[in-house]
Amino acid sequence: MSRAVMPRPIRAGLASFVVAAALSGLATTPVHASEFTEMAALAKSQTGNGPCAGGGYHNGLMQRNSCDGSGGAAHAWCADFVGWVWSKYNVMGQAVLTDAASSFWAYGQKYGTLHTSPTYTPSVGDAVVYEYANGWAQHVAMVTGVADGKVTITGGNESNSVRTNTTSSWRVGQAPFGSQRISGYISPKIQQATPPQVALSGATGTVSGVANLTASTTAGTYGVASVQYYVDGEPVSGKLTQAPYSFALDSSRFPDGKHIVAAEVTDTNGNTGASRAQIITSNGEATSTFHADFNGDGKADVGVLYDYGKQADGSYETGLWTYLSNGAGFNQPVKVWDNASTNFGSWNWDRSKVTTGDFNGDGKDDVGVLYNNGQQTDGTNKTALWTFTSTGTDFTNPVLKWDNVSTGSGSWNWNRSKVTTGDFNGDGKDDVGILYNNGQQTDGTNVTALWTLTSTGTDFTNPSKKWDNVSTATGSWNWDRSKMVSGDFTGDGKADVGILYDNGRQTDGTNVTALWTLASTGTDFTNPSKKWDNVSTATGSWNWDRSKVTTGDFNGDGKADVGILYDNGQTEDSRNVSALWTFTSTGSDFTNPSKKWDSGTGSWNSDTSKLTAGDFNGDGKTDIGVLYGYGVQDDGSNRTGLWKFTSTGTDFANPVMSWDSAGQTSWNWKASKLG
């Protein structure tokens, strides 16, 4: 097993430091509003408590539940703690706050309460942020006393508890309790009027496609003016003025995984209230195909469908980029198509699910997009399949290969479709597979089906249903709980379908996950066969929510294996912990998962990782690639990196950054869909 020290990512740096100063009380109380005094008293009253005190530092305004997993060890909870204290008082604008310490910095920037001057004297109630840079911070705590030239600071997740300490080294740039320097103070904006209240609906559990959000409000001192929705601290809607404040949240805009949705209500005098909910998006990101060799040189490449957003004329612009492998790394990305320069009309990235495959059998991989054409006036959902054909040096304009309306294939809901590709019939041309959500029957049974569109070389056949759980009497099958991959798991030359399935949590708190395969017979698929689950194999608790799945022939034996990038949460000192596991195919089964790498003393954020796989160096063994998001930098640019884990056959080498947008261009990871 290999280890590496990785560069620290941006999003979830929260955590803590071990303090060494002696506990000290407040000598005198400065003149502040009573809210600040009460705020300080509440924070200090928690001294010595762990993350689950009183059920966890959360309420309707939680960042995340600080008791989430392993007694709070699942993620660092310093931001939870300060956010919890602020939420007990009339602090404006709390929809901006997330579970990241850096979100308090963003709050200060938005509301003009950020103080970075070394001459600033903090006030009781201020958040104090440590080691902020480029959208990431190591820790946040709260000022709970200012007297006699000393400042008292109370913070959560300091040695996994709440601690209160007094220091004379409290100026910006100083390190009061060790190596972490103070980057700035952020003052909360206390509202004097009773703020309005809001209750959020429509954002619960696992979400795919469109989540229809609504909100109910209660007026405070002043009447309600509007409601605005946020995801992960950023606004996603305008200010809605009519109850029930409906908003269709397109969850496909956000990477599969956990997100915080917030509703913020504003009254006629500018006061705000907020509520939050956690969702898990599950839209079938393209992690299911490997070996995307666009130029036919025997080395896998990486493709990205990139979102340029809505243009001034109302059209949407999307571009297709490729990173060609040079064996040792990747060349600079090249834009091979966009709809604007080719006069192709409007192309909406939000409505595109991307996959890759050699659809015409010429040895060069093409790009396929399942596209959402919305609903017709009669309520029929319309979905289309387009392909971009590789010429070896470029790509043709997309060609429409299928849509359900013109072919009389009934209503087809894009939001209910997870797409993959593979040579399911073994004829040398890749086909398209779709796992489809047929919803629930009246008896509560979840219905899921597997369909394939078979390539003819120049076109695709209409979709053919190969399996569903009802007609085959295979029990209830929940599409929302399924992550799909495809690969030749048996080594017979035909691609099969694998599904990582979420069986939820047992009464003892153990998370249960299973690996199933549907084996191709060439003309059909067998019923799903369970190849592994963590309970029957005694492999501990395995959380499906924390698993990002891909596939490839990692050991070069001619059979596809399954790889998982697993999120182990955060350490107390703010490091994100991730591990790479593989399930090796034996042809008829899979071995128990084997850990091939973990981030060790470094930090690797699974939340900002998008996986792909391919034989990037042409040695016959599949490697793993990660498009990694570093977020918005202090200069306003977006930074993204492309990393490669090279397979040695029995292990993986430490990841190597093969491309970095920093200093070259602004590249938005959130606007990138891997193919």
Side-chain angles (χ1 to χ4, degrees), residues 192-226:
Q192 297 305 311
T194 300
Q197 297 178 4
V198 60
L200 171 64
S201 299
T204 57
T206 301
V207 174
S208 57
V210 173
N212 293 306
L213 305 182
T214 59
S216 58
T217 60
T218 303
T221 304
Y222 302 97
V224 170
S226 64

Side-chain angles (χ1 to χ4, degrees), residues 417-480:
S417 305
K418 294 181 181 180
V419 63
T420 187
T421 54
D423 182 7
F424 300 129
N425 59 6
D427 68 351
K429 300 182 290 290
D430 282 325
D431 314 303
V432 171
I434 295 175
L435 196 69
Y436 194 84
N437 178 14
N438 285 106
Q440 276 192 338
Q441 297 190 134
T442 54
D443 64 358
T445 300
N446 296 291
V447 187
T448 298
L450 176 64
W451 296 76
T452 60
L453 293 86
T454 301
S455 172
T456 65
T458 56
D459 212 334
F460 285 83
T461 64
N462 284 341
S464 171
K465 186 162 68 170
K466 300 299 185 181
W467 169 82
D468 76 83
N469 56 294
V470 172
S471 66
T472 58
T474 42
S476 180
W477 192 285
N478 192 332
W479 182 89
D480 288 339

Side-chain angles (χ1 to χ4, degrees), residues 366-562:
D366 314 303
V367 173
V369 173
L370 196 71
Y371 195 85
N372 179 15
N373 286 107
Q375 276 192 339
Q376 298 192 135
T377 54
D378 64 358
T380 300
N381 296 290
K382 186 175 181 181
T383 298
L385 175 65
W386 296 78
T387 61
F388 300 74
T389 301
S390 171
T391 65
T393 57
D394 210 336
F395 283 81
T396 64
N397 280 340
V399 175
L400 180 67
K401 297 296 186 178
W402 169 82
D403 77 83
N404 58 294
V405 172
S406 67
T407 58
S409 312
S411 181
W412 193 285
N413 192 333
W414 180 88
N415 291 325
R416 293 173 173 259
S417 305
K418 294 181 181 180
V419 63
T420 187
T421 54
D423 182 7
F424 300 129
N425 59 6
D427 68 351
K429 300 182 290 290
D430 282 325
D431 314 303
V432 171
I434 295 175
L435 196 69
Y436 194 84
N437 178 14
N438 285 106
Q440 276 192 338
Q441 297 190 134
T442 54
D443 64 358
T445 300
N446 296 291
V447 187
T448 298
L450 176 64
W451 296 76
T452 60
L453 293 86
T454 301
S455 172
T456 65
T458 56
D459 212 334
F460 285 83
T461 64
N462 284 341
S464 171
K465 186 162 68 170
K466 300 299 185 181
W467 169 82
D468 76 83
N469 56 294
V470 172
S471 66
T472 58
T474 42
S476 180
W477 192 285
N478 192 332
W479 182 89
D480 288 339
R481 293 173 174 259
S482 305
K483 294 179 181 177
M484 178 174 57
V485 294
S486 64
D488 181 8
F489 302 129
T490 60
D492 67 353
K494 300 183 289 288
D496 314 301
V497 169
I499 295 176
L500 196 71
Y501 194 85
D502 177 21
N503 285 106
R505 185 177 288 188
Q506 296 188 136
T507 54
D508 64 358
T510 300
N511 296 290
V512 186
T513 298
L515 176 63
W516 296 76
T517 61
L518 294 87
S520 171
T521 65
T523 56
D524 211 335
F525 284 81
T526 64
N527 284 341
S529 171
K530 186 163 68 170
K531 301 299 184 181
W532 169 85
D533 75 83
N534 55 294
V535 172
S536 66
T537 58
T539 42
S541 181
W542 192 285
N543 193 331
W544 180 88
D545 294 344
R546 293 174 176 265
S547 305
K548 293 192 173 181
V549 63
T550 189
T551 185
D553 182 7
F554 302 130
N555 58 6
D557 68 351
K559 299 183 290 290
D561 313 303
V562 172

Side-chain angles (χ1 to χ4, degrees), residues 479-660:
W479 182 89
D480 288 339
R481 293 173 174 259
S482 305
K483 294 179 181 177
M484 178 174 57
V485 294
S486 64
D488 181 8
F489 302 129
T490 60
D492 67 353
K494 300 183 289 288
D496 314 301
V497 169
I499 295 176
L500 196 71
Y501 194 85
D502 177 21
N503 285 106
R505 185 177 288 188
Q506 296 188 136
T507 54
D508 64 358
T510 300
N511 296 290
V512 186
T513 298
L515 176 63
W516 296 76
T517 61
L518 294 87
S520 171
T521 65
T523 56
D524 211 335
F525 284 81
T526 64
N527 284 341
S529 171
K530 186 163 68 170
K531 301 299 184 181
W532 169 85
D533 75 83
N534 55 294
V535 172
S536 66
T537 58
T539 42
S541 181
W542 192 285
N543 193 331
W544 180 88
D545 294 344
R546 293 174 176 265
S547 305
K548 293 192 173 181
V549 63
T550 189
T551 185
D553 182 7
F554 302 130
N555 58 6
D557 68 351
K559 299 183 290 290
D561 313 303
V562 172
I564 292 178
L565 186 69
Y566 194 86
D567 175 14
N568 286 106
Q570 291 178 321
T571 60
E572 189 179 338
D573 64 354
S574 81
R575 291 178 294 111
N576 297 288
V577 183
S578 296
L580 178 63
W581 297 77
T582 60
F583 299 74
T584 301
S585 172
T586 65
S588 58
D589 210 336
F590 285 82
T591 63
N592 284 342
S594 172
K595 185 161 66 168
K596 300 299 186 181
W597 170 85
D598 70 64
S599 50
T601 57
S603 182
W604 188 286
N605 192 344
S606 175
D607 284 346
T608 59
S609 301
K610 296 181 180 180
L611 267 66
T612 186
D615 182 8
F616 300 130
N617 57 9
D619 68 352
K621 299 181 290 290
T622 303
D623 313 303
I624 290 177
V626 174
L627 196 70
Y628 196 90
Y630 294 91
V632 180
Q633 307 298 281
D634 287 344
D635 64 2
S637 66
N638 293 285
R639 183 186 176 196
T640 299
L642 179 60
W643 291 80
K644 180 174 69 171
F645 295 75
T646 300
S647 172
T648 65
T650 57
D651 211 334
F652 283 84
N654 286 336
V656 174
M657 181 181 271
S658 298
W659 173 78
D660 186 359

Side-chain angles (χ1 to χ4, degrees), residues 26 28-30 32 121-124 143-152 170:
L26 184 62
T28 60
T29 303
H32 284 295
T121 300
S123 298
V124 170
V143 175
T144 53
V146 180
D148 301 329
K150 296 183 178 181
V151 171
T152 301
W170 48 264

Side-chain angles (χ1 to χ4, degrees), residues 15-312:
S16 64
F17 52 95
V18 177
V19 293
L23 183 64
S24 174
L26 184 62
T28 60
T29 303
V31 178
H32 284 295
S34 61
E35 288 91 342
F36 292 111
T37 303
E38 294 170 7
M39 192 183 292
L42 174 62
K44 290 193 291 183
S45 74
Q46 303 299 301
T47 300
N49 286 340
C52 295
Y57 293 111
H58 70 98
N59 56 15
L61 291 168
M62 65 183 177
Q63 279 68 35
R64 286 187 192 170
N65 186 339
S66 59
C67 289
D68 180 18
S70 304
H75 75 279
W77 49 278
C78 61
D80 283 348
F81 176 71
V82 179
W84 174 81
V85 176
W86 276 19
S87 73
K88 301 297 184 182
Y89 300 91
N90 293 342
V91 175
M92 172 180 283
Q94 293 182 62
V96 174
L97 300 178
T98 72
D99 60 356
S102 59
S103 68
F104 286 83
W105 194 275
Y107 178 97
Q109 290 176 317
K110 179 173 180 177
Y111 290 102
T113 63
L114 172 63
H115 311 285
T116 58
S117 170
T119 63
Y120 175 73
T121 300
S123 298
V124 170
D126 282 2
V128 51
V129 172
Y130 298 82
E131 297 293 347
Y132 173 86
N134 289 321
W136 180 87
Q138 282 190 353
H139 185 58
V140 62
M142 200 183 88
V143 175
T144 53
V146 180
D148 301 329
K150 296 183 178 181
V151 171
T152 301
I153 297 174
T154 302
N157 200 34
E158 299 180 4
S159 297
N160 204 34
S161 66
V162 177
R163 293 208 175 182
T164 298
N165 294 275
T166 299
T167 179
S168 57
S169 300
W170 48 264
R171 295 190 181 278
V172 170
Q174 293 182 319
F177 306 119
S179 61
Q180 293 181 331
R181 295 179 304 163
I182 295 173
S183 297
Y185 291 93
I186 297 91
S187 302
K189 292 195 74 170
I190 299 291
Q191 303 169 128
Q192 297 305 311
T194 300
Q197 297 178 4
V198 60
L200 171 64
S201 299
T204 57
T206 301
V207 174
S208 57
V210 173
N212 293 306
L213 305 182
T214 59
S216 58
T217 60
T218 303
T221 304
Y222 302 97
V224 170
S226 64
V227 169
Q228 186 170 28
Y229 295 102
Y230 290 69
V231 173
D232 298 332
E234 298 180 1
V236 293
S237 76
K239 291 191 178 237
L240 308 173
T241 59
Q242 297 293 323
Y245 311 103
S246 300
F247 178 68
L249 176 67
D250 184 358
S251 69
S252 67
R253 281 201 62 81
F254 308 98
D256 284 358
K258 292 183 179 179
H259 300 278
I260 301 299
V261 180
E264 181 177 78
V265 58
T266 304
D267 69 21
T268 55
N269 208 40
N271 299 291
T272 68
S275 66
R276 290 189 180 89
Q278 179 176 278
I279 62 171
I280 300 166
T281 55
S282 177
N283 288 292
E285 291 184 341
T287 59
S288 56
T289 54
F290 65 97
H291 201 271
D293 180 8
F294 298 131
N295 58 5
D297 67 353
K299 298 183 289 290
D301 311 305
V302 173
V304 171
L305 197 70
Y306 195 85
D307 180 23
Y308 293 98
K310 195 171 186 178
Q311 306 303 295

